[in-house]
Amino acid sequence: MGNGNGQPEGSRLSNSGICWSNRQNIGDPWGLPWAYVLLMLHPPDDLTGPEDPSGLGDLAELRRRLPHVLIEIRFYRANWYATDAVLLARYIARYWAQITPYTRHVCAWNEQNLASEGYPGGAHEDRVVPDIKCYQNMNAWNLQVIEELERLCPDMIFHYGALSQGHSDDQKDTGTGYIAPGYVGLDILKPSLTHQFVRYVDAHIYWW
């Protein structure tokens, strides 16, 4: 019997999670009661070649040793803006049959509104607010990824990747002292954010 959250009845798992790439900072990552594990997979530069994403080999071991946690796979590209969205979706789909025995939760990006993630007009330490085209380009690119994955992997549980906090005028309470840019990033992203294929919207809750 389950409790509706992928955990057995009577489970005492805490509502805590870990990004598996940060496990070296934990004394005994296997011994802690994780409810959520984020596994980062890094596709190669050539998305049409035969190379597997790094980190794929950890998935089976994670599921074997942590049978009741929610495992989310993030296919992470450091420069989303220079990545062909459809090619990335097709690359992810190539590995779907290998992933599904262990999880169906997948994300394809992270913190796209930062310049360090690829878009030249994104936020950085000298420019807290991205230009509006950053969000417009994010929305268009994300829609391409989402629609291709919906076509190729309709049973995927897709997560909309978390943004970096404090870079739009929907968040004026960050103490940064910036002038609101006159747009709300999440409003611009609404077509992709509310797409029928999106099951979860990820967030970085450490700052709440």
Side-chain angles (χ1 to χ4, degrees):
M1 294 292 292
N3 61 12
N5 297 314
Q7 301 169 12
E9 291 290 355
S11 170
R12 292 295 181 267
L13 287 175
S14 69
N15 290 321
S16 61
I18 182 175
C19 178
W20 201 241
S21 61
N22 296 332
R23 67 189 181 277
Q24 64 271 15
N25 299 322
I26 306 295
D28 178 17
W30 297 114
L32 295 174
W34 306 117
Y36 167 83
V37 173
L38 175 67
L39 178 61
M40 304 272 278
L41 301 185
H42 298 269
D45 292 336
D46 182 6
L47 295 175
T48 63
E51 186 177 345
D52 292 341
S54 64
L56 186 63
D58 290 338
L59 182 55
E61 180 69 0
L62 274 171
R63 179 52 75 210
R64 185 182 72 81
R65 298 187 65 169
L66 301 172
H68 304 303
V69 304
L70 189 159
I71 299 176
E72 179 182 348
I73 303 295
R74 177 184 293 157
F75 282 83
Y76 178 72
R77 295 275 292 188
N79 189 341
W80 68 269
Y81 186 61
T83 299
D84 185 295
V86 173
L87 282 183
L88 177 61
R90 291 174 181 173
Y91 182 85
I92 294 171
R94 280 168 44 189
Y95 294 92
W96 188 231
Q98 296 180 47
I99 291 171
T100 49
Y102 311 108
T103 186
R104 292 193 295 127
H105 293 261
V106 171
C107 172
W109 60 77
N110 180 58
E111 295 192 323
Q112 293 171 293
N113 53 344
L114 296 181
S116 59
E117 297 290 336
Y119 185 74
H124 57 73
E125 60 184 15
D126 296 323
R127 183 183 62 244
V128 177
V129 180
D131 61 58
I132 193 171
K133 290 182 179 179
C134 177
Y135 287 94
Q136 292 169 340
N137 280 285
M138 286 161 56
N139 182 64
W141 190 90
N142 292 354
L143 275 173
Q144 290 184 68
V145 174
I146 289 167
E147 290 171 354
E148 189 69 1
L149 284 175
E150 182 183 36
R151 183 179 72 85
L152 296 172
C153 309
D155 58 334
M156 180 180 288
I157 300 174
F158 188 76
H159 289 240
Y160 199 96
L163 301 179
S164 182
Q165 165 263 356
H167 303 300
S168 176
D169 67 359
D170 54 337
Q171 298 169 321
K172 296 181 180 179
D173 58 348
T174 60
T176 56
Y178 65 82
I179 298 173
Y183 68 80
V184 177
L186 294 180
D187 284 349
I188 297 171
L189 295 175
K190 190 173 292 185
S192 56
L193 193 66
T194 61
H195 192 282
Q196 64 180 5
F197 190 60
V198 175
R199 296 278 296 277
Y200 292 92
V201 177
D202 292 349
H204 293 127
I205 61 172
Y206 52 80
W207 46 266
W208 284 4

